[in-house]
Amino acid sequence: VDGVTDERYRIGEAARMAGVSTRTLRYYQELGLVHPAASSPGGNRLYSEVEVVRLRRIIELREVMGLDLGRIGEILRSEDRLDEIRAEAAKGPTSRRRHELILEALELNAHMQEQVAEKLTALQSYLDDLTATAARYRGLLAELDAAEASPA
Amino acid sequence: VDGVTDERYRIGEAARMAGVSTRTLRYYQELGLVHPAASSPGGNRLYSEVEVVRLRRIIELREVMGLDLGRIGEILRSEDRLDEIRAEAAKGPTSRRRHELILEALELNAHMQEQVAEKLTALQSYLDDLTATAARYRGLLAELDAAEASPA
DNA sequence: TTGCTCCTCACGTCACGTGAGGTGGC
DNA sequence: TTGCTCCTCACGTCACGTGAGGTGGC
Protein backbone atom coordinates (compact mmCIF):
# COMPACT_ATOMS: atom_id res chain seq x y z
CA VAL A 1 0.00 0.00 0.00
CA ASP A 2 2.50 2.62 -1.10
CA GLY A 3 0.91 6.10 -1.25
CA VAL A 4 0.67 8.43 -4.20
CA THR A 5 3.98 10.03 -3.23
CA ASP A 6 5.80 9.32 -0.02
CA GLU A 7 7.99 12.39 -0.32
CA ARG A 8 8.74 14.26 2.91
CA TYR A 9 9.10 18.02 3.24
CA ARG A 10 10.82 20.00 5.94
CA ILE A 11 8.85 22.81 7.53
CA GLY A 12 10.26 25.50 5.22
CA GLU A 13 9.22 23.66 2.06
CA ALA A 14 5.79 22.74 3.41
CA ALA A 15 5.20 26.34 4.47
CA ARG A 16 6.17 27.63 1.03
CA MET A 17 3.86 25.12 -0.67
CA ALA A 18 0.94 26.27 1.48
CA GLY A 19 1.85 29.96 1.23
CA VAL A 20 2.35 30.60 4.94
CA SER A 21 5.24 31.08 7.39
CA THR A 22 6.99 28.36 9.36
CA ARG A 23 5.77 30.08 12.50
CA THR A 24 2.21 29.50 11.33
CA LEU A 25 2.88 25.76 10.90
CA ARG A 26 4.29 25.49 14.42
CA TYR A 27 1.38 27.46 15.82
CA TYR A 28 -1.19 25.27 14.06
CA GLN A 29 0.56 22.21 15.45
CA GLU A 30 0.37 23.71 18.93
CA LEU A 31 -3.38 24.21 18.42
CA GLY A 32 -3.74 20.64 17.17
CA LEU A 33 -4.81 21.60 13.65
CA VAL A 34 -1.97 19.99 11.68
CA HIS A 35 0.68 17.61 12.98
CA PRO A 36 3.79 16.66 10.99
CA ALA A 37 3.66 13.16 9.51
CA ALA A 38 7.02 12.30 11.12
CA SER A 39 10.16 13.67 12.72
CA SER A 40 13.78 13.35 11.60
CA PRO A 41 16.31 11.96 14.12
CA GLY A 42 17.53 15.54 14.61
CA GLY A 43 14.06 16.65 15.69
CA ASN A 44 13.02 18.28 12.39
CA ARG A 45 9.35 18.22 11.48
CA LEU A 46 8.62 16.24 8.32
CA TYR A 47 5.43 16.79 6.34
CA SER A 48 3.82 14.84 3.49
CA GLU A 49 1.39 16.01 0.81
CA VAL A 50 -1.53 15.10 3.06
CA GLU A 51 -0.54 17.79 5.55
CA VAL A 52 0.08 20.36 2.81
CA VAL A 53 -3.43 19.75 1.46
CA ARG A 54 -4.82 20.10 4.99
CA LEU A 55 -2.89 23.34 5.41
CA ARG A 56 -4.31 24.75 2.19
CA ARG A 57 -7.77 23.83 3.44
CA ILE A 58 -7.14 25.75 6.67
CA ILE A 59 -5.88 28.78 4.77
CA GLU A 60 -8.95 28.67 2.52
CA LEU A 61 -11.32 28.62 5.50
CA ARG A 62 -9.40 31.44 7.16
CA GLU A 63 -8.77 33.72 4.16
CA VAL A 64 -11.85 33.15 2.02
CA MET A 65 -14.40 32.51 4.75
CA GLY A 66 -12.82 34.56 7.54
CA LEU A 67 -13.30 31.88 10.21
CA ASP A 68 -11.21 31.81 13.38
CA LEU A 69 -8.94 28.88 14.14
CA GLY A 70 -11.27 27.45 16.79
CA ARG A 71 -14.14 27.16 14.31
CA ILE A 72 -11.78 25.77 11.66
CA GLY A 73 -10.67 23.10 14.11
CA GLU A 74 -14.29 22.04 14.64
CA ILE A 75 -14.90 21.79 10.92
CA LEU A 76 -11.72 19.79 10.32
CA ARG A 77 -12.58 17.38 13.11
CA SER A 78 -16.05 16.69 11.76
CA GLU A 79 -14.57 16.19 8.29
CA ASP A 80 -12.04 13.78 9.77
CA ARG A 81 -14.85 11.76 11.30
CA LEU A 82 -16.54 11.57 7.92
CA ASP A 83 -13.30 10.32 6.36
CA GLU A 84 -13.08 7.60 8.99
CA ILE A 85 -16.59 6.50 8.16
CA ARG A 86 -15.77 6.27 4.49
CA ALA A 87 -12.62 4.28 5.27
CA GLU A 88 -14.22 1.84 7.67
CA ALA A 89 -17.21 1.45 5.35
CA ALA A 90 -19.38 -1.46 6.47
CA LYS A 91 -17.10 -3.10 9.02
CA GLY A 92 -17.08 -0.21 11.47
CA PRO A 93 -19.88 1.56 13.27
CA THR A 94 -23.50 0.65 13.01
CA SER A 95 -25.44 1.76 9.99
CA ARG A 96 -27.58 3.94 12.24
CA ARG A 97 -24.51 5.73 13.57
CA ARG A 98 -23.12 6.27 10.07
CA HIS A 99 -26.49 7.64 9.00
CA GLU A 100 -26.38 10.15 11.85
CA LEU A 101 -22.88 11.35 11.08
CA ILE A 102 -23.62 11.84 7.39
CA LEU A 103 -26.76 13.83 8.20
CA GLU A 104 -24.68 15.94 10.56
CA ALA A 105 -22.15 16.57 7.79
CA LEU A 106 -24.94 17.52 5.39
CA GLU A 107 -26.21 20.05 7.88
CA LEU A 108 -22.76 21.57 8.31
CA ASN A 109 -22.42 21.64 4.53
CA ALA A 110 -25.77 23.40 4.07
CA HIS A 111 -24.80 25.95 6.70
CA MET A 112 -21.51 26.65 4.95
CA GLN A 113 -23.29 26.99 1.61
CA GLU A 114 -25.52 29.66 3.14
CA GLN A 115 -22.54 31.58 4.48
CA VAL A 116 -20.73 31.41 1.17
CA ALA A 117 -23.85 32.53 -0.68
CA GLU A 118 -24.15 35.53 1.64
CA LYS A 119 -20.53 36.44 1.07
CA LEU A 120 -21.01 36.11 -2.67
CA THR A 121 -23.94 38.53 -2.81
CA ALA A 122 -22.09 40.99 -0.55
CA LEU A 123 -19.05 40.88 -2.81
CA GLN A 124 -21.15 41.17 -5.96
CA SER A 125 -22.94 44.29 -4.72
CA TYR A 126 -19.61 45.74 -3.68
CA LEU A 127 -18.28 45.12 -7.19
CA ASP A 128 -21.35 46.84 -8.63
CA ASP A 129 -20.66 49.84 -6.41
CA LEU A 130 -17.09 49.96 -7.64
CA THR A 131 -18.03 49.93 -11.31
CA ALA A 132 -20.67 52.62 -10.71
CA THR A 133 -18.07 54.77 -8.94
CA ALA A 134 -15.62 54.27 -11.79
CA ALA A 135 -18.28 55.46 -14.22
CA ARG A 136 -18.75 58.63 -12.16
CA TYR A 137 -15.01 59.25 -12.18
CA ARG A 138 -14.92 58.94 -15.95
CA GLY A 139 -17.81 61.42 -16.11
CA LEU A 140 -15.78 63.91 -14.06
CA LEU A 141 -12.83 63.48 -16.39
CA ALA A 142 -15.05 64.15 -19.41
CA GLU A 143 -16.34 67.36 -17.77
CA LEU A 144 -12.80 68.50 -17.12
CA ASP A 145 -11.73 67.86 -20.69
CA ALA A 146 -14.82 69.65 -22.06
CA ALA A 147 -14.10 72.69 -19.86
CA GLU A 148 -10.54 72.69 -21.12
CA ALA A 149 -11.63 72.51 -24.77
CA SER A 150 -13.87 75.60 -24.37
CA PRO A 151 -11.90 77.86 -22.00
CA ALA A 152 -13.28 80.95 -20.21
CA VAL B 1 -27.59 74.77 5.04
CA ASP B 2 -29.29 72.35 7.41
CA GLY B 3 -28.24 68.74 6.75
CA VAL B 4 -30.42 65.76 5.91
CA THR B 5 -30.73 64.94 9.61
CA ASP B 6 -28.77 66.68 12.33
CA GLU B 7 -29.52 63.98 14.87
CA ARG B 8 -26.71 63.06 17.22
CA TYR B 9 -26.00 59.58 18.57
CA ARG B 10 -24.03 58.59 21.63
CA ILE B 11 -21.34 55.98 21.17
CA GLY B 12 -23.57 53.07 22.15
CA GLU B 13 -26.23 53.92 19.57
CA ALA B 14 -23.69 54.59 16.83
CA ALA B 15 -21.95 51.30 17.57
CA ARG B 16 -25.26 49.41 17.41
CA MET B 17 -26.13 51.05 14.10
CA ALA B 18 -22.81 49.99 12.61
CA GLY B 19 -22.86 46.54 14.21
CA VAL B 20 -19.67 46.89 16.25
CA SER B 21 -18.67 47.44 19.89
CA THR B 22 -18.08 50.79 21.55
CA ARG B 23 -14.49 49.70 22.11
CA THR B 24 -14.10 49.44 18.35
CA LEU B 25 -15.33 53.02 17.88
CA ARG B 26 -12.85 54.32 20.46
CA TYR B 27 -10.07 52.32 18.88
CA TYR B 28 -10.85 53.60 15.38
CA GLN B 29 -10.82 57.14 16.74
CA GLU B 30 -7.41 56.50 18.30
CA LEU B 31 -6.18 55.32 14.88
CA GLY B 32 -7.66 58.41 13.20
CA LEU B 33 -10.19 56.46 11.12
CA VAL B 34 -13.41 57.99 12.49
CA HIS B 35 -13.75 60.99 14.78
CA PRO B 36 -17.01 61.91 16.54
CA ALA B 37 -18.81 64.90 15.03
CA ALA B 38 -18.95 66.61 18.42
CA SER B 39 -18.66 66.17 22.16
CA SER B 40 -21.27 66.77 24.88
CA PRO B 41 -20.33 69.09 27.78
CA GLY B 42 -19.85 65.97 29.91
CA GLY B 43 -17.25 64.61 27.52
CA ASN B 44 -19.49 62.11 25.70
CA ARG B 45 -18.74 61.38 22.06
CA LEU B 46 -21.54 62.44 19.70
CA TYR B 47 -21.83 60.95 16.22
CA SER B 48 -23.97 61.89 13.20
CA GLU B 49 -25.13 59.76 10.28
CA VAL B 50 -22.00 60.70 8.34
CA GLU B 51 -19.82 58.86 10.84
CA VAL B 52 -22.13 55.85 10.94
CA VAL B 53 -21.92 55.56 7.15
CA ARG B 54 -18.14 55.85 7.37
CA LEU B 55 -18.10 53.14 10.04
CA ARG B 56 -20.14 50.81 7.85
CA ARG B 57 -17.69 51.46 5.04
CA ILE B 58 -14.78 50.46 7.30
CA ILE B 59 -16.56 47.30 8.42
CA GLU B 60 -17.26 46.39 4.79
CA LEU B 61 -13.61 46.79 3.82
CA ARG B 62 -12.53 44.77 6.84
CA GLU B 63 -15.12 41.98 6.78
CA VAL B 64 -15.77 41.53 3.09
CA MET B 65 -12.34 42.40 1.73
CA GLY B 66 -10.24 41.34 4.70
CA LEU B 67 -8.06 44.48 4.68
CA ASP B 68 -6.15 45.62 7.76
CA LEU B 69 -6.90 48.97 9.36
CA GLY B 70 -3.76 50.62 7.99
CA ARG B 71 -4.78 49.86 4.41
CA ILE B 72 -8.36 50.92 5.13
CA GLY B 73 -7.05 54.24 6.42
CA GLU B 74 -5.18 54.84 3.15
CA ILE B 75 -8.28 54.10 1.10
CA LEU B 76 -10.48 56.35 3.22
CA ARG B 77 -7.98 59.20 2.96
CA SER B 78 -7.81 59.00 -0.82
CA GLU B 79 -11.61 58.89 -0.98
CA ASP B 80 -11.74 61.95 1.26
CA ARG B 81 -9.49 63.81 -1.15
CA LEU B 82 -11.81 62.91 -3.98
CA ASP B 83 -14.77 64.27 -2.04
CA GLU B 84 -12.92 67.52 -1.51
CA ILE B 85 -12.33 67.83 -5.22
CA ARG B 86 -16.01 67.32 -5.97
CA ALA B 87 -16.95 69.90 -3.33
CA GLU B 88 -14.49 72.55 -4.44
CA ALA B 89 -15.39 71.90 -8.10
CA ALA B 90 -13.91 74.61 -10.32
CA LYS B 91 -12.88 77.18 -7.71
CA GLY B 92 -10.27 75.00 -6.01
CA PRO B 93 -7.17 73.29 -7.33
CA THR B 94 -5.97 73.55 -10.89
CA SER B 95 -7.64 71.45 -13.50
CA ARG B 96 -4.37 69.55 -14.00
CA ARG B 97 -4.26 68.64 -10.30
CA ARG B 98 -7.88 67.51 -10.29
CA HIS B 99 -7.17 65.41 -13.37
CA GLU B 100 -4.32 63.71 -11.55
CA LEU B 101 -6.34 62.90 -8.44
CA ILE B 102 -9.21 61.45 -10.44
CA LEU B 103 -6.82 59.25 -12.41
CA GLU B 104 -5.32 58.11 -9.13
CA ALA B 105 -8.77 57.23 -7.81
CA LEU B 106 -9.56 55.32 -11.00
CA GLU B 107 -6.40 53.28 -10.54
CA LEU B 108 -7.28 52.46 -6.94
CA ASN B 109 -10.77 51.55 -8.10
CA ALA B 110 -9.45 49.23 -10.81
CA HIS B 111 -7.15 47.56 -8.30
CA MET B 112 -10.03 46.99 -5.89
CA GLN B 113 -12.17 45.58 -8.71
CA GLU B 114 -9.42 43.05 -9.43
CA GLN B 115 -9.23 42.00 -5.80
CA VAL B 116 -13.00 41.64 -5.54
CA ALA B 117 -13.11 39.64 -8.76
CA GLU B 118 -10.45 37.28 -7.37
CA LYS B 119 -12.40 36.81 -4.17
CA LEU B 120 -15.56 36.18 -6.16
CA THR B 121 -14.04 33.37 -8.22
CA ALA B 122 -12.46 31.84 -5.11
CA LEU B 123 -15.80 31.87 -3.32
CA GLN B 124 -17.64 30.51 -6.34
CA SER B 125 -15.27 27.55 -6.69
CA TYR B 126 -15.58 26.91 -2.96
CA LEU B 127 -19.35 26.88 -3.31
CA ASP B 128 -19.03 24.42 -6.20
CA ASP B 129 -16.89 22.18 -3.99
CA LEU B 130 -19.51 22.31 -1.27
CA THR B 131 -22.38 21.31 -3.57
CA ALA B 132 -20.27 18.47 -5.01
CA THR B 133 -19.49 17.24 -1.50
CA ALA B 134 -23.16 17.41 -0.55
CA ALA B 135 -23.97 15.26 -3.59
CA ARG B 136 -21.43 12.65 -2.44
CA TYR B 137 -22.99 12.62 1.03
CA ARG B 138 -26.42 12.02 -0.43
CA GLY B 139 -24.89 9.18 -2.47
CA LEU B 140 -23.58 7.61 0.74
CA LEU B 141 -26.98 7.89 2.33
CA ALA B 142 -28.59 6.16 -0.67
CA GLU B 143 -26.06 3.32 -0.37
CA LEU B 144 -26.84 2.92 3.30
CA ASP B 145 -30.57 2.83 2.69
CA ALA B 146 -30.14 0.30 -0.15
CA ALA B 147 -28.02 -1.97 2.10
CA GLU B 148 -30.67 -1.73 4.76
CA ALA B 149 -33.45 -2.64 2.33
CA SER B 150 -31.62 -5.81 1.23
CA PRO B 151 -29.97 -7.06 4.44
CA ALA B 152 -27.24 -9.71 4.68
C1' DT C 1 34.72 24.70 8.24
C1' DT C 2 31.07 27.43 5.97
C1' DG C 3 26.00 28.08 4.82
C1' DC C 4 21.55 27.00 5.21
C1' DT C 5 17.66 25.39 7.62
C1' DC C 6 16.02 23.77 11.61
C1' DC C 7 14.99 23.99 16.86
C1' DT C 8 12.91 26.26 21.27
C1' DC C 9 11.96 30.15 24.16
C1' DA C 10 10.09 34.54 24.52
C1' DC C 11 8.86 39.24 23.72
C1' DG C 12 6.24 42.34 20.24
C1' DT C 13 2.05 43.53 17.50
C1' DC C 14 -2.60 44.19 15.73
C1' DA C 15 -7.47 44.57 16.71
C1' DC C 16 -9.87 44.48 19.70
C1' DG C 17 -12.49 42.08 24.62
C1' DT C 18 -13.12 42.80 29.27
C1' DG C 19 -13.28 44.29 33.73
C1' DA C 20 -11.95 48.28 37.42
C1' DG C 21 -13.30 52.44 39.26
C1' DG C 22 -15.59 56.69 38.61
C1' DT C 23 -18.74 60.51 36.44
C1' DG C 24 -23.11 62.46 34.14
C1' DG C 25 -27.98 63.02 32.43
C1' DC C 26 -33.34 61.32 32.57
C1' DT D 1 -31.61 58.31 44.87
C1' DT D 2 -31.62 54.60 41.39
C1' DG D 3 -30.37 52.90 36.61
C1' DC D 4 -28.27 53.38 32.56
C1' DT D 5 -24.68 54.89 29.66
C1' DC D 6 -20.66 57.11 29.37
C1' DC D 7 -15.51 57.98 30.56
C1' DT D 8 -10.35 56.52 30.98
C1' DC D 9 -6.82 53.34 32.20
C1' DA D 10 -5.02 48.92 31.72
C1' DC D 11 -4.48 44.04 31.43
C1' DG D 12 -5.96 39.83 28.49
C1' DT D 13 -6.42 37.41 23.97
C1' DC D 14 -5.90 35.65 19.30
C1' DA D 15 -2.87 34.78 15.45
C1' DC D 16 0.81 35.19 14.46
C1' DG D 17 5.96 38.28 13.49
C1' DT D 18 10.47 38.62 14.91
C1' DG D 19 14.72 38.22 16.88
C1' DA D 20 18.04 35.47 20.44
C1' DG D 21 20.90 31.72 20.96
C1' DG D 22 21.97 27.15 19.65
C1' DT D 23 21.99 22.52 16.90
C1' DG D 24 22.12 19.44 12.56
C1' DG D 25 22.75 17.75 7.71
C1' DC D 26 24.92 18.60 2.58
Side-chain angles (χ1 to χ4, degrees):
Chain A
V1 282
D2 43 18
V4 186
T5 323
D6 54 357
E7 218 171 326
R8 291 296 147 101
Y9 309 100
R10 293 165 78 188
I11 194 171
E13 289 174 283
R16 232 169 291 130
M17 292 166 78
V20 297
S21 71
T22 60
R23 176 68 167 100
T24 298
L25 287 211
R26 295 196 189 96
Y27 184 56
Y28 287 0
Q29 178 180 354
E30 191 180 329
L31 295 185
L33 295 179
V34 190
H35 293 284
S39 289
S40 79
N44 284 15
R45 293 167 177 83
L46 295 177
Y47 297 90
S48 69
E49 322 233 330
V50 178
E51 283 79 39
V52 175
V53 168
R54 192 177 177 85
L55 269 171
R56 288 224 185 84
R57 177 102 181 89
I58 295 174
I59 307 308
E60 179 180 50
L61 289 171
R62 196 197 59 185
E63 297 254 280
V64 180
M65 287 305 295
L67 303 178
D68 60 48
L69 298 182
R71 186 83 188 93
I72 291 176
E74 289 177 23
I75 291 174
L76 288 182
R77 275 189 292 279
S78 75
E79 284 177 358
D80 289 347
R81 277 181 5 222
L82 251 291
D83 281 355
E84 280 175 39
I85 289 182
R86 301 211 71 179
E88 297 187 353
K91 62 167 180 165
T94 67
S95 131
R96 171 171 292 285
R97 179 75 185 126
R98 294 174 66 205
H99 207 103
E100 270 175 30
L101 285 176
I102 295 173
L103 282 181
E104 204 180 299
L106 266 173
E107 246 180 87
L108 175 65
N109 183 288
H111 186 239
M112 289 292 286
Q113 287 198 33
E114 272 177 48
Q115 303 237 308
V116 176
E118 266 180 48
K119 284 232 169 212
L120 271 173
T121 59
L123 271 176
Q124 187 57 58
S125 81
Y126 185 42
L127 185 56
D128 292 346
D129 285 359
L130 282 175
T131 55
T133 303
R136 286 196 296 109
Y137 288 161
R138 278 189 285 273
L140 283 178
L141 276 186
E143 274 180 41
L144 268 183
D145 292 350
E148 214 153 313
S150 64
Chain B
V1 281
D2 43 18
V4 186
T5 323
D6 54 356
E7 219 171 325
R8 292 295 147 100
Y9 310 101
R10 293 165 78 186
I11 193 170
E13 289 174 282
R16 233 169 291 131
M17 292 165 80
V20 296
S21 70
T22 59
R23 175 69 169 101
T24 297
L25 287 211
R26 296 198 189 93
Y27 184 55
Y28 287 0
Q29 178 180 355
E30 191 180 329
L31 295 185
L33 294 179
V34 191
H35 294 283
S39 291
S40 78
N44 285 15
R45 294 167 176 82
L46 296 176
Y47 298 88
S48 69
E49 323 231 331
V50 178
E51 282 79 39
V52 175
V53 168
R54 193 178 177 85
L55 268 171
R56 288 225 185 84
R57 178 104 181 86
I58 295 174
I59 308 308
E60 178 179 50
L61 289 171
R62 195 198 60 186
E63 298 254 279
V64 181
M65 288 304 296
L67 303 179
D68 60 48
L69 298 183
R71 185 84 187 91
I72 291 176
E74 289 175 22
I75 291 174
L76 288 182
R77 275 190 291 281
S78 75
E79 285 178 357
D80 290 346
R81 277 182 6 222
L82 251 291
D83 282 353
E84 281 175 39
I85 288 182
R86 302 211 71 180
E88 296 188 354
K91 62 165 180 164
T94 67
S95 130
R96 172 171 292 284
R97 179 72 185 128
R98 296 174 63 203
H99 207 103
E100 270 175 30
L101 285 176
I102 295 174
L103 282 180
E104 204 181 300
L106 266 172
E107 247 181 85
L108 175 65
N109 183 289
H111 186 239
M112 289 292 286
Q113 287 199 32
E114 273 179 47
Q115 303 238 307
V116 176
E118 266 181 47
K119 284 234 167 207
L120 270 173
T121 59
L123 271 176
Q124 187 57 57
S125 80
Y126 184 43
L127 185 56
D128 291 347
D129 284 1
L130 282 175
T131 56
T133 302
R136 285 195 298 107
Y137 288 161
R138 279 189 285 274
L140 282 178
L141 276 187
E143 274 180 43
L144 268 183
D145 292 349
E148 213 153 313
S150 63

